[in-house]
């Protein structure tokens, strides 16, 4: 894995990956921990949906079915990044919709060269010219969604020839020397592929640096709850990840378990929060309720004063170490109503949807499976990127 990073990655991209993400990211996590020890709070990093626009229509996507799509202005996005940097945090996950449809995207990457951005993309718009622009920026890692084989991908993503386009995106990204990741939202229709050694070896041969597994969560207009994993399937996936970390020559990332195999929620822990394309600050992308919005006051003041975000950090862990929206959606609605939180889904019926939703298993329900690799145990405890975030 190290050999591949050293000799197949563009040198400027490698430098930014090591310094902006690795060194500065770890320092930002240390600052986050010190803030918590002082009784203060500001997330270690932000995930930002820059636009609701997308060229696909995926099952379980939180932006589908909106009455009107939103986009952050360049000024709003710049404010979020600038105020977050002032707190000593330099890592941002850039989401959509499809973020490559956001016109000021490269201007943002170029302006904030001291930051590191993880670009969550479906890959269908990631051509050679776009990959070359990302290489010149050097501070961006494309994380390309890979949701299934030729048959499954089109159904999961609501498009045509998605599998072929995704494979092409991986090729152009790795050939450009980018630190390239592949993400899979693991569900019943792609679990077999997710666990397949042939699939993982194919990514290694293409030059993929890391594989990020996260668990399918039934949200959005087309929630498709029947795709949710059972408890046994979640345990199978968790065991696979633990074993794969010592078996394959690429990084295996997750966002749901600590070094002891205990479930965690990045939003409840305060590691990260999500800012949607309308500027609302949500606990995470799938909890589409908020009491606060960017621009009304500085971010530091919002995090200091928000009772909704503060109390959520103690209320959710008291209920579960897994995903509250999966395990007890009705409780979540009651909690948001207690604080007068707005429905930020853009559909206007999120509370109604959650009240009608049957609970499904999440990662907090299984028996802990501790990490066996010492380097992953260390990363989960101390190193920034090992913590993952959300998927």
């Amino acid at each position: 894995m190290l050999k591949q990073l050293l000799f197949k990655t563009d040198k400027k991209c490698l430098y930014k990956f090591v310094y902006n993400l690795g060194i500065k990211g770890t320092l930002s996590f240390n600052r986050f921990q010190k803030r918590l020890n002082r009784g203060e709070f500001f997330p270690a990093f932000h995930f930002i949906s820059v636009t609701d626009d997308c060229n696909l229509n995926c099952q379980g996507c939180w932006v589908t079915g909106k009455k009107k799509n939103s986009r952050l202005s360049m000024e709003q996005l710049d404010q979020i990044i600038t105020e977050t940097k002032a707190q000593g945090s330099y890592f941002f996950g850039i989401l959509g919709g499809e973020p490559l449809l956001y016109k000021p995207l490269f201007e943002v990457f170029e302006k904030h060269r001291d930051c590191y951005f993880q670009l969550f993309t479906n890959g269908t718009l990631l051509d050679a010219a776009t990959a070359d622009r990302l290489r010149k920026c050097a501070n961006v890692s494309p994380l390309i969604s890979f949701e299934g084989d030729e048959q499954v991908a089109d159904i999961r993503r609501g498009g045509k020839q998605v599998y072929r386009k995704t494979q092409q995106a991986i090729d152009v990204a790795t050939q450009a020397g980018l630190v390239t990741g592949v993400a899979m939202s693991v569900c019943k229709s792609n679990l077999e592929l997710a666990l397949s050694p042939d699939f993982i070896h194919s990514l290694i041969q293409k030059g993929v640096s890391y594989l990020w597994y996260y668990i399918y969560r039934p949200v959005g207009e087309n929630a498709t709850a029947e795709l949710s994993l059972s408890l046994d399937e979640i345990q199978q996936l968790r065991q696979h990840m633990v074993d794969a970390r010592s078996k394959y020559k690429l990084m295996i990332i997750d966002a749901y378990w600590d070094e002891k195999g205990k479930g965690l929620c990045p939003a409840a822990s305060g590691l990260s929060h999500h800012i949607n394309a309308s500027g609302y600050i949500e606990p995470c992308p799938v909890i589409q309720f908020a009491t606060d919005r960017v621009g009304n006051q500085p971010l530091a003041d919002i995090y200091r004063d928000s009772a909704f975000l503060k109390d959520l950090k103690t209320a959710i862990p008291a209920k579960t170490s897994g995903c509250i929206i999966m395990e007890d959606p009705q409780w979540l609605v009651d909690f948001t109503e207690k604080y007068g939180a707005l429905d930020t889904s853009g559909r206007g019926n999120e509370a109604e949807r959650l009240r009608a939703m049957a609970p499904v298993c999440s990662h907090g329900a299984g028996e802990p499976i501790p990490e066996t690799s010492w380097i992953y145990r260390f990363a989960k405890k101390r190193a920034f990127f090992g913590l993952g975030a959300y998927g």
Side-chain angles (χ1 to χ4, degrees), residues 256-272:
Y256 298 120
W257 293 276
D258 65 16
E259 77 281 1
K260 297 178 182 178
K262 183 180 178 181
L264 60 85
C265 169
S269 68
L271 277 173
S272 65

Side-chain angles (χ1 to χ4, degrees), residues 116-135:
Y116 201 84
F117 300 93
Q118 191 172 42
L119 180 67
F120 290 70
T121 175
N122 61 43
T124 60
L125 303 178
L126 182 50
D127 56 17
T130 302
D132 190 57
R133 290 191 70 183
L134 292 173
R135 180 188 61 78

Side-chain angles (χ1 to χ4, degrees), residues 59-114:
Q59 295 168 321
C61 177
W62 59 83
V63 303
T64 56
K66 288 177 177 280
K67 296 176 181 178
K68 182 179 179 181
N69 284 357
S70 296
R71 298 158 208 86
L72 287 175
S73 69
M74 174 68 181
E75 292 74 22
Q76 285 176 307
L77 183 54
D78 184 67
Q79 176 193 349
I80 294 166
I81 295 171
T82 300
E83 292 187 12
T84 303
K85 288 198 297 184
Q87 298 294 321
S89 295
Y90 295 86
F91 174 77
F92 301 87
I94 303 298
L95 300 83
E98 171 50 53
L100 286 174
L101 290 171
Y102 182 69
K103 292 183 179 179
L105 186 65
F106 284 90
E107 185 178 349
V108 172
F109 293 158
E110 291 163 359
K111 180 175 181 179
H112 296 280
R113 293 184 180 275
D114 54 342

Side-chain angles (χ1 to χ4, degrees), residues 282-294:
E282 302 167 336
C284 75
V286 299
I287 300 181
Q288 296 185 292
F289 296 93
T291 59
D292 307 284
R293 195 173 190 178
V294 171

Side-chain angles (χ1 to χ4, degrees), residues 11-62:
K11 294 301 180 281
K12 188 176 178 181
C13 292
L14 180 61
Y15 170 78
K16 293 286 187 178
F17 177 76
V18 172
Y19 182 68
N20 285 20
L21 176 63
I23 296 174
K24 294 174 74 173
T26 299
L27 291 174
S28 71
F29 178 62
N30 291 338
R31 295 185 188 103
F32 164 75
Q33 290 180 312
K34 290 178 180 178
R35 286 195 293 269
L36 290 183
N37 292 336
R38 295 194 302 265
E40 302 171 3
F41 174 71
F42 194 98
F45 46 95
H46 279 109
F47 284 86
I48 309 169
S49 289
V50 294
T51 181
D52 292 328
D53 298 331
C54 191
N55 58 332
L56 297 179
N57 186 30
C58 300
Q59 295 168 321
C61 177
W62 59 83

Side-chain angles (χ1 to χ4, degrees), residues 241-282:
M241 286 191 290
V242 170
D243 296 340
R245 286 176 170 134
S246 301
K247 189 176 180 180
Y248 298 108
K249 296 179 181 179
L250 81 171
M251 290 179 281
I252 304 291
I253 308 297
D254 74 81
Y256 298 120
W257 293 276
D258 65 16
E259 77 281 1
K260 297 178 182 178
K262 183 180 178 181
L264 60 85
C265 169
S269 68
L271 277 173
S272 65
H273 284 314
H274 175 246
I275 299 175
N276 75 6
S278 298
Y280 285 105
I281 303 173
E282 302 167 336

